[in-house]
Amino acid sequence: MLPTQRQLYDHPESSGPITLHTAEDFEGMRAAGRLAAETLDMITEYVVEGVSTAELDKRIQDYVEGAGAVSATIGYRGYQHASCISLNEVVCHGIPSDQTILEDRDILNIDVTVIVDGWHGDTSRMYVVGGSSFPTREKLIRVTYECLWKGIHAVKPGATLGDVGAAIQKHGEKAGFSIVRQFVGHGLGEQFHMAPNIFHFGKQGKGVELVPGMIFTIEPMLNVGTYKVDIDEEDGWTARTRDRKSSAQFEHSVGVTADGFEIFTGSPKGFEQPPYL
Protein backbone atom coordinates (compact mmCIF):
# COMPACT_ATOMS: atom_id res chain seq x y z
CA MET A 1 0.00 0.00 0.00
CA LEU A 2 1.06 3.58 -0.63
CA PRO A 3 1.18 5.84 2.43
CA THR A 4 -2.16 7.46 3.27
CA GLN A 5 -0.28 10.58 4.31
CA ARG A 6 2.95 11.96 2.89
CA GLN A 7 5.93 10.89 4.99
CA LEU A 8 9.69 11.40 5.13
CA TYR A 9 12.02 8.41 5.07
CA ASP A 10 15.53 8.79 6.43
CA HIS A 11 18.36 6.52 5.37
CA PRO A 12 22.04 7.03 6.20
CA GLU A 13 23.09 6.45 2.59
CA SER A 14 20.61 8.93 1.10
CA SER A 15 21.53 12.48 0.09
CA GLY A 16 18.67 13.66 2.33
CA PRO A 17 15.21 12.74 3.63
CA ILE A 18 13.16 10.91 0.98
CA THR A 19 9.51 11.84 0.46
CA LEU A 20 7.07 8.92 0.44
CA HIS A 21 4.11 9.93 -1.70
CA THR A 22 0.42 9.07 -1.48
CA ALA A 23 -1.99 7.66 -4.05
CA GLU A 24 -3.20 11.21 -4.71
CA ASP A 25 0.38 12.27 -5.37
CA PHE A 26 0.76 9.42 -7.85
CA GLU A 27 -2.27 10.79 -9.72
CA GLY A 28 -0.51 14.13 -10.05
CA MET A 29 2.62 12.41 -11.34
CA ARG A 30 0.60 10.48 -13.93
CA ALA A 31 -0.72 13.71 -15.44
CA ALA A 32 2.71 15.36 -15.49
CA GLY A 33 4.42 12.25 -16.83
CA ARG A 34 1.85 11.83 -19.59
CA LEU A 35 2.33 15.38 -20.87
CA ALA A 36 6.11 14.97 -20.84
CA ALA A 37 5.79 11.75 -22.85
CA GLU A 38 3.27 13.31 -25.24
CA THR A 39 5.73 16.14 -25.83
CA LEU A 40 8.42 13.68 -26.94
CA ASP A 41 5.86 11.88 -29.11
CA MET A 42 4.94 15.19 -30.74
CA ILE A 43 8.51 16.21 -31.58
CA THR A 44 9.33 12.90 -33.28
CA GLU A 45 8.25 13.87 -36.78
CA TYR A 46 10.32 17.07 -36.67
CA VAL A 47 13.63 15.36 -35.90
CA VAL A 48 14.91 15.44 -39.49
CA GLU A 49 17.99 16.49 -41.40
CA GLY A 50 18.40 20.26 -41.78
CA VAL A 51 16.40 21.24 -38.70
CA SER A 52 18.08 23.24 -35.93
CA THR A 53 17.87 22.18 -32.32
CA ALA A 54 16.53 25.66 -31.54
CA GLU A 55 13.55 24.98 -33.80
CA LEU A 56 12.87 21.70 -31.98
CA ASP A 57 13.07 23.48 -28.63
CA LYS A 58 10.62 26.18 -29.77
CA ARG A 59 8.11 23.53 -30.84
CA ILE A 60 8.49 21.85 -27.46
CA GLN A 61 7.97 25.09 -25.56
CA ASP A 62 4.89 25.98 -27.62
CA TYR A 63 3.40 22.51 -27.12
CA VAL A 64 3.90 22.51 -23.35
CA GLU A 65 2.54 26.03 -22.93
CA GLY A 66 -0.35 25.19 -25.26
CA ALA A 67 -1.28 22.41 -22.86
CA GLY A 68 -1.46 24.93 -20.02
CA ALA A 69 1.72 23.64 -18.40
CA VAL A 70 5.19 25.01 -17.70
CA SER A 71 8.64 23.86 -18.82
CA ALA A 72 10.54 23.26 -15.60
CA THR A 73 13.91 23.93 -17.22
CA ILE A 74 13.18 27.50 -18.28
CA GLY A 75 14.79 29.64 -15.60
CA TYR A 76 16.21 26.68 -13.72
CA ARG A 77 19.66 27.76 -12.48
CA GLY A 78 19.75 30.27 -15.31
CA TYR A 79 18.89 27.78 -18.08
CA GLN A 80 16.65 29.39 -20.72
CA HIS A 81 15.26 26.54 -22.81
CA ALA A 82 12.35 24.10 -22.68
CA SER A 83 14.53 21.09 -23.41
CA CYS A 84 18.05 19.74 -23.42
CA ILE A 85 19.06 18.37 -26.82
CA SER A 86 22.30 16.40 -26.80
CA LEU A 87 23.89 15.26 -30.08
CA ASN A 88 26.37 12.44 -30.67
CA GLU A 89 29.22 12.97 -28.18
CA VAL A 90 27.15 15.25 -25.92
CA VAL A 91 26.20 13.22 -22.85
CA CYS A 92 23.54 15.55 -21.48
CA HIS A 93 22.49 19.20 -21.03
CA GLY A 94 23.01 20.09 -24.68
CA ILE A 95 21.75 23.65 -25.22
CA PRO A 96 19.39 24.18 -28.20
CA SER A 97 20.91 26.49 -30.81
CA ASP A 98 20.18 27.97 -34.22
CA GLN A 99 23.72 26.97 -35.19
CA THR A 100 23.28 23.28 -34.36
CA ILE A 101 21.74 21.72 -37.46
CA LEU A 102 20.79 18.04 -37.57
CA GLU A 103 22.66 15.91 -40.10
CA ASP A 104 21.93 12.46 -41.49
CA ARG A 105 22.93 9.67 -39.04
CA ASP A 106 23.17 12.01 -36.06
CA ILE A 107 21.89 10.55 -32.82
CA LEU A 108 20.40 12.82 -30.19
CA ASN A 109 18.75 12.74 -26.81
CA ILE A 110 15.82 15.06 -26.14
CA ASP A 111 15.10 15.62 -22.45
CA VAL A 112 12.00 17.47 -21.22
CA THR A 113 10.57 18.24 -17.80
CA VAL A 114 7.10 19.73 -17.47
CA ILE A 115 5.13 21.01 -14.50
CA VAL A 116 1.42 20.15 -14.39
CA ASP A 117 -0.52 21.41 -11.36
CA GLY A 118 2.71 21.54 -9.39
CA TRP A 119 3.95 18.06 -10.34
CA HIS A 120 7.07 17.36 -12.43
CA GLY A 121 7.17 14.91 -15.33
CA ASP A 122 10.73 14.19 -16.47
CA THR A 123 11.70 11.96 -19.39
CA SER A 124 14.11 11.65 -22.30
CA ARG A 125 14.52 9.55 -25.43
CA MET A 126 17.05 8.94 -28.17
CA TYR A 127 16.33 9.86 -31.80
CA VAL A 128 18.15 8.95 -35.02
CA VAL A 129 18.24 11.42 -37.91
CA GLY A 130 17.36 9.73 -41.19
CA GLY A 131 16.14 6.55 -39.53
CA SER A 132 19.50 4.81 -39.24
CA SER A 133 23.00 5.56 -38.02
CA PHE A 134 26.37 3.83 -37.75
CA PRO A 135 26.27 0.27 -36.32
CA THR A 136 28.11 1.17 -33.11
CA ARG A 137 25.76 4.06 -32.43
CA GLU A 138 22.71 1.90 -33.09
CA LYS A 139 24.03 -0.77 -30.72
CA LEU A 140 24.73 1.92 -28.13
CA ILE A 141 21.14 3.16 -28.32
CA ARG A 142 19.71 -0.36 -28.07
CA VAL A 143 21.85 -1.32 -25.08
CA THR A 144 21.13 1.96 -23.28
CA TYR A 145 17.40 1.33 -23.69
CA GLU A 146 17.85 -2.20 -22.37
CA CYS A 147 19.82 -0.81 -19.40
CA LEU A 148 16.95 1.53 -18.57
CA TRP A 149 14.64 -1.45 -18.34
CA LYS A 150 17.12 -3.57 -16.42
CA GLY A 151 17.14 -0.81 -13.82
CA ILE A 152 13.36 -0.37 -13.81
CA HIS A 153 12.71 -4.09 -13.37
CA ALA A 154 14.96 -4.07 -10.29
CA VAL A 155 12.54 -1.65 -8.58
CA LYS A 156 10.35 -3.20 -5.88
CA PRO A 157 9.89 -2.80 -2.13
CA GLY A 158 12.78 -4.34 -0.22
CA ALA A 159 15.22 -4.03 -3.12
CA THR A 160 17.96 -1.42 -2.93
CA LEU A 161 19.23 1.34 -5.15
CA GLY A 162 22.39 -0.71 -5.41
CA ASP A 163 20.32 -3.41 -7.10
CA VAL A 164 19.12 -0.86 -9.65
CA GLY A 165 22.61 0.44 -10.38
CA ALA A 166 24.16 -3.02 -10.51
CA ALA A 167 21.60 -4.25 -13.05
CA ILE A 168 22.35 -1.29 -15.33
CA GLN A 169 26.10 -1.51 -14.95
CA LYS A 170 26.29 -5.26 -15.55
CA HIS A 171 24.30 -5.13 -18.77
CA GLY A 172 25.99 -2.02 -20.17
CA GLU A 173 29.55 -3.10 -19.46
CA LYS A 174 28.92 -6.63 -20.72
CA ALA A 175 28.01 -5.05 -24.07
CA GLY A 176 31.31 -3.15 -24.10
CA PHE A 177 30.09 0.31 -23.10
CA SER A 178 30.92 2.50 -20.10
CA ILE A 179 28.46 3.92 -17.57
CA VAL A 180 28.62 7.65 -16.87
CA ARG A 181 29.30 8.33 -13.18
CA GLN A 182 29.10 12.11 -13.04
CA PHE A 183 25.33 12.41 -13.63
CA VAL A 184 22.63 10.51 -11.78
CA GLY A 185 18.89 10.09 -11.56
CA HIS A 186 17.02 11.85 -8.78
CA GLY A 187 13.90 11.97 -6.73
CA LEU A 188 11.15 14.25 -8.00
CA GLY A 189 7.56 15.22 -7.38
CA GLU A 190 6.57 18.73 -6.43
CA GLN A 191 10.27 19.56 -6.69
CA PHE A 192 12.46 19.06 -9.77
CA HIS A 193 15.35 17.45 -7.89
CA MET A 194 14.96 15.67 -4.55
CA ALA A 195 16.55 12.84 -2.61
CA PRO A 196 17.55 10.15 -3.32
CA ASN A 197 20.29 10.18 -5.95
CA ILE A 198 19.95 7.26 -8.37
CA PHE A 199 23.36 5.94 -9.39
CA HIS A 200 23.49 3.86 -12.57
CA PHE A 201 26.25 1.66 -11.22
CA GLY A 202 26.63 -0.08 -7.89
CA LYS A 203 26.57 -3.30 -5.91
CA GLN A 204 23.59 -5.54 -5.26
CA GLY A 205 22.15 -5.24 -1.79
CA LYS A 206 23.85 -1.92 -1.09
CA GLY A 207 22.38 1.54 -0.75
CA VAL A 208 18.94 2.86 0.14
CA GLU A 209 16.19 0.26 0.57
CA LEU A 210 13.19 0.94 -1.67
CA VAL A 211 9.87 1.73 0.01
CA PRO A 212 6.38 2.25 -1.52
CA GLY A 213 5.75 5.91 -2.27
CA MET A 214 9.24 6.77 -3.50
CA ILE A 215 9.33 8.59 -6.86
CA PHE A 216 12.50 9.09 -8.88
CA THR A 217 14.02 9.08 -12.34
CA ILE A 218 16.14 6.33 -13.81
CA GLU A 219 18.22 7.80 -16.63
CA PRO A 220 21.32 5.78 -17.55
CA MET A 221 23.92 7.39 -19.81
CA LEU A 222 26.25 5.04 -21.70
CA ASN A 223 29.33 5.94 -23.72
CA VAL A 224 31.18 4.12 -26.50
CA GLY A 225 34.53 5.00 -24.93
CA THR A 226 35.47 6.39 -21.53
CA TYR A 227 32.82 7.17 -18.94
CA LYS A 228 34.57 10.45 -18.17
CA VAL A 229 33.01 13.72 -19.33
CA ASP A 230 33.99 17.37 -19.72
CA ILE A 231 31.71 20.32 -18.97
CA ASP A 232 31.86 23.16 -21.48
CA GLU A 233 33.72 26.02 -19.80
CA GLU A 234 31.90 28.71 -21.78
CA ASP A 235 28.25 27.72 -21.30
CA GLY A 236 28.66 25.78 -18.05
CA TRP A 237 26.09 23.17 -19.12
CA THR A 238 27.07 21.03 -22.10
CA ALA A 239 28.64 17.74 -21.02
CA ARG A 240 30.68 15.90 -23.66
CA THR A 241 32.51 12.60 -23.55
CA ARG A 242 36.16 13.26 -22.83
CA ASP A 243 37.27 11.20 -25.84
CA ARG A 244 34.47 12.68 -28.01
CA LYS A 245 32.98 9.26 -28.75
CA SER A 246 29.20 8.83 -28.87
CA SER A 247 26.87 8.77 -25.87
CA ALA A 248 23.23 7.76 -25.37
CA GLN A 249 20.59 8.13 -22.66
CA PHE A 250 16.99 7.14 -21.90
CA GLU A 251 14.94 8.31 -18.93
CA HIS A 252 11.66 7.47 -17.23
CA SER A 253 10.00 8.79 -14.08
CA VAL A 254 9.12 5.85 -11.83
CA GLY A 255 7.19 5.31 -8.61
CA VAL A 256 7.67 2.45 -6.15
CA THR A 257 4.37 0.63 -5.52
CA ALA A 258 3.34 -2.04 -3.04
CA ASP A 259 4.38 -4.84 -5.38
CA GLY A 260 6.81 -3.25 -7.85
CA PHE A 261 6.87 -0.05 -9.88
CA GLU A 262 4.77 2.33 -11.95
CA ILE A 263 6.14 4.26 -14.92
CA PHE A 264 4.66 7.74 -15.28
CA THR A 265 6.30 8.66 -18.60
CA GLY A 266 5.48 5.82 -20.99
CA SER A 267 4.88 6.92 -24.58
CA PRO A 268 1.15 7.08 -25.43
CA LYS A 269 2.07 6.30 -29.06
CA GLY A 270 4.44 3.47 -28.18
CA PHE A 271 7.51 5.48 -29.22
CA GLU A 272 9.82 3.82 -26.70
CA GLN A 273 12.98 3.27 -28.77
CA PRO A 274 13.92 4.22 -32.34
CA PRO A 275 12.95 3.82 -35.07
CA TYR A 276 9.66 5.36 -34.01
CA LEU A 277 7.94 6.00 -37.33
Side-chain angles (χ1 to χ4, degrees), residues 220-240:
M221 296 161 235
L222 274 64
N223 297 345
V224 169
T226 179
Y227 67 82
K228 296 180 179 180
V229 305
D230 293 323
I231 308 299
D232 190 289
E233 293 183 358
E234 291 186 10
D235 65 44
W237 285 100
T238 307
R240 294 181 176 85

Side-chain angles (χ1 to χ4, degrees), residues 54-65:
E55 179 180 335
L56 296 179
D57 183 71
K58 181 63 165 60
R59 289 186 182 276
I60 288 169
Q61 181 177 349
D62 289 347
Y63 186 83
V64 171
E65 292 177 354

Side-chain angles (χ1 to χ4, degrees), residues 139-153 167-168 171 175 220 250 273:
K139 180 183 177 183
L140 174 69
I141 290 172
R142 174 178 58 79
V143 172
T144 305
Y145 177 77
E146 292 168 352
C147 281
L148 170 71
W149 281 97
K150 292 288 185 181
I152 290 173
H153 282 298
I168 292 168
H171 189 72
F250 284 90
Q273 62 175 324

Side-chain angles (χ1 to χ4, degrees), residues 1-11 14 16-26 29 119 157 187-190 194-196 208-216 255-257:
M1 295 287 292
L2 294 174
T4 56
Q5 294 184 348
R6 205 176 297 174
Q7 304 171 17
L8 290 179
Y9 170 64
D10 286 305
H11 191 283
S14 174
I18 302 168
T19 301
L20 303 183
H21 294 86
T22 67
E24 184 178 356
D25 296 341
F26 270 52
M29 288 298 296
W119 294 96
L188 81 165
E190 290 183 307
M194 306 165 63
V208 175
E209 181 177 338
L210 300 181
V211 176
M214 290 180 176
I215 297 174
F216 47 78
V256 183
T257 65

Side-chain angles (χ1 to χ4, degrees), residues 9-16 18 156-166 196-199 201-211 214 216:
Y9 170 64
D10 286 305
H11 191 283
E13 295 187 56
S14 174
S15 56
I18 302 168
K156 61 182 179 181
T160 69
L161 289 180
D163 297 335
V164 175
N197 290 329
I198 311 299
F199 295 94
F201 59 95
K203 295 183 178 180
Q204 285 187 319
K206 300 295 185 179
V208 175
E209 181 177 338
L210 300 181
V211 176
M214 290 180 176
F216 47 78

Side-chain angles (χ1 to χ4, degrees), residues 20-267:
L20 303 183
H21 294 86
T22 67
E24 184 178 356
D25 296 341
F26 270 52
E27 284 290 340
M29 288 298 296
R30 290 184 191 112
R34 182 176 179 86
L35 178 61
E38 288 174 344
T39 302
L40 293 185
D41 284 356
M42 175 279 300
I43 204 64
T44 302
E45 66 179 294
Y46 301 105
V47 181
V48 295
E49 186 176 4
V51 170
S52 73
T53 56
E55 179 180 335
L56 296 179
D57 183 71
K58 181 63 165 60
R59 289 186 182 276
I60 288 169
Q61 181 177 349
D62 289 347
Y63 186 83
V64 171
E65 292 177 354
V70 175
S71 293
T73 52
I74 297 178
Y76 181 79
R77 296 184 178 179
Y79 196 79
Q80 295 301 318
H81 302 275
S83 63
C84 295
I85 304 180
S86 304
L87 268 72
N88 301 327
E89 78 280 2
V90 177
V91 177
C92 59
H93 302 159
I95 300 176
S97 167
D98 288 319
Q99 286 71 50
T100 305
I101 308 298
L102 300 186
E103 298 180 1
D104 188 42
R105 294 193 173 188
D106 277 345
I107 63 172
L108 60 153
N109 177 273
I110 302 180
D111 189 343
V112 300
T113 306
V114 304
I115 306 174
V116 178
D117 296 328
W119 294 96
H120 290 73
D122 189 0
T123 186
S124 79
R125 276 178 226 162
M126 294 300 296
Y127 298 80
V128 179
V129 180
S132 64
S133 189
F134 303 102
T136 300
R137 285 180 173 177
E138 292 193 347
K139 180 183 177 183
L140 174 69
I141 290 172
R142 174 178 58 79
V143 172
T144 305
Y145 177 77
E146 292 168 352
C147 281
L148 170 71
W149 281 97
K150 292 288 185 181
I152 290 173
H153 282 298
V155 173
K156 61 182 179 181
T160 69
L161 289 180
D163 297 335
V164 175
I168 292 168
Q169 182 178 12
K170 179 180 178 181
H171 189 72
E173 291 181 349
K174 183 178 179 180
F177 300 117
S178 64
I179 313 298
V180 173
R181 267 73 165 165
Q182 192 163 339
F183 299 99
V184 299
H186 53 89
L188 81 165
E190 290 183 307
Q191 297 178 46
F192 193 170
H193 293 92
M194 306 165 63
N197 290 329
I198 311 299
F199 295 94
H200 304 113
F201 59 95
K203 295 183 178 180
Q204 285 187 319
K206 300 295 185 179
V208 175
E209 181 177 338
L210 300 181
V211 176
M214 290 180 176
I215 297 174
F216 47 78
T217 68
I218 299 178
E219 45 184 298
M221 296 161 235
L222 274 64
N223 297 345
V224 169
T226 179
Y227 67 82
K228 296 180 179 180
V229 305
D230 293 323
I231 308 299
D232 190 289
E233 293 183 358
E234 291 186 10
D235 65 44
W237 285 100
T238 307
R240 294 181 176 85
T241 56
R242 185 161 296 177
D243 57 12
R244 300 304 189 259
K245 294 183 179 180
S246 298
S247 183
Q249 177 190 19
F250 284 90
E251 175 184 14
H252 273 314
S253 297
V254 178
V256 183
T257 65
D259 56 0
F261 60 83
E262 178 177 349
I263 298 170
F264 301 117
T265 47
S267 166

